[in-house]
Amino acid sequence: FNEEKITEIAIFKLFKNGDVIKYHKLINPQKKIQPFVEKLTGLNNKMLENKPVFSKIASEINTFTKECIFVAHNVKFDYRVLKKEFSRIGIRFQRDLLCTIELSKVIFPDLESYSLGKLVSNFGIKINNRHRADGDAEATLDLFSIIKKNMGEKNLHKFINFQNE
């Protein structure tokens, strides 16, 4: 806990007009990848050894996400890991948050499971590259679009959880 390092990041920036811009990078975590992570993601130390370290792309990420709402499936986990990476290099990273798990529980209260895999399967969303940052982020974006459509923009903003330190 709190020793995780980012090996890959994918951000899909959704604009009000529906346009999407993707940011995706492999990242050298500067530590050995745990075997269960290798097995889950297919990423290995050799693939990442010549990739940039987080500090080299932190400014890009910070700028790309400025004034954005951070939406993720299990947002508290992703946000904690990203904030920790920023704090290691002395940058305070703070965004408004929305969690597609919590939103799904409100909008679709009768589902058996709120795992990303079960939700996207339930709604016919295809996941390319499962357990990789880009595949899971794109599936989360598609899920978020369904949630947004069912919830409405105004109601959605009631669920933003601003993390104060």
Side-chain angles (χ1 to χ4, degrees), residues 121-163:
S121 175
N122 189 59
F123 294 110
I125 298 168
K126 186 178 177 191
I127 299 183
N128 297 314
N129 239 358
R130 180 71 171 122
H131 296 297
R132 292 288 301 269
D134 58 338
D136 287 356
E138 186 171 21
T140 300
L141 173 65
D142 293 343
L143 174 61
F144 180 68
S145 296
I146 291 169
I147 291 168
K148 193 171 150 186
K149 183 178 168 187
N150 281 274
M151 185 175 248
E153 189 90 26
K154 285 186 180 178
N155 290 328
L156 193 59
H157 281 277
K158 293 177 188 174
F159 286 88
I160 295 172
N161 178 18
F162 189 77
Q163 301 291 302

Side-chain angles (χ1 to χ4, degrees), residues 77-146:
F77 173 79
D78 290 344
Y79 186 65
R80 178 183 56 79
V81 172
L82 190 56
K83 271 183 82 163
K84 187 68 177 174
E85 287 280 14
F86 274 104
S87 73
R88 285 183 182 116
I89 57 172
I91 297 173
R92 185 170 182 256
F93 184 81
Q94 192 165 352
R95 301 292 183 266
D96 289 340
L97 305 179
L98 281 172
C99 182
T100 55
I101 292 174
E102 298 308 318
L103 291 169
S104 294
K105 287 177 180 178
V106 171
I107 300 297
F108 313 109
D110 298 326
L111 297 178
E112 276 183 38
S113 171
Y114 295 93
S115 72
L116 184 60
K118 297 280 186 186
L119 283 168
V120 298
S121 175
N122 189 59
F123 294 110
I125 298 168
K126 186 178 177 191
I127 299 183
N128 297 314
N129 239 358
R130 180 71 171 122
H131 296 297
R132 292 288 301 269
D134 58 338
D136 287 356
E138 186 171 21
T140 300
L141 173 65
D142 293 343
L143 174 61
F144 180 68
S145 296
I146 291 169

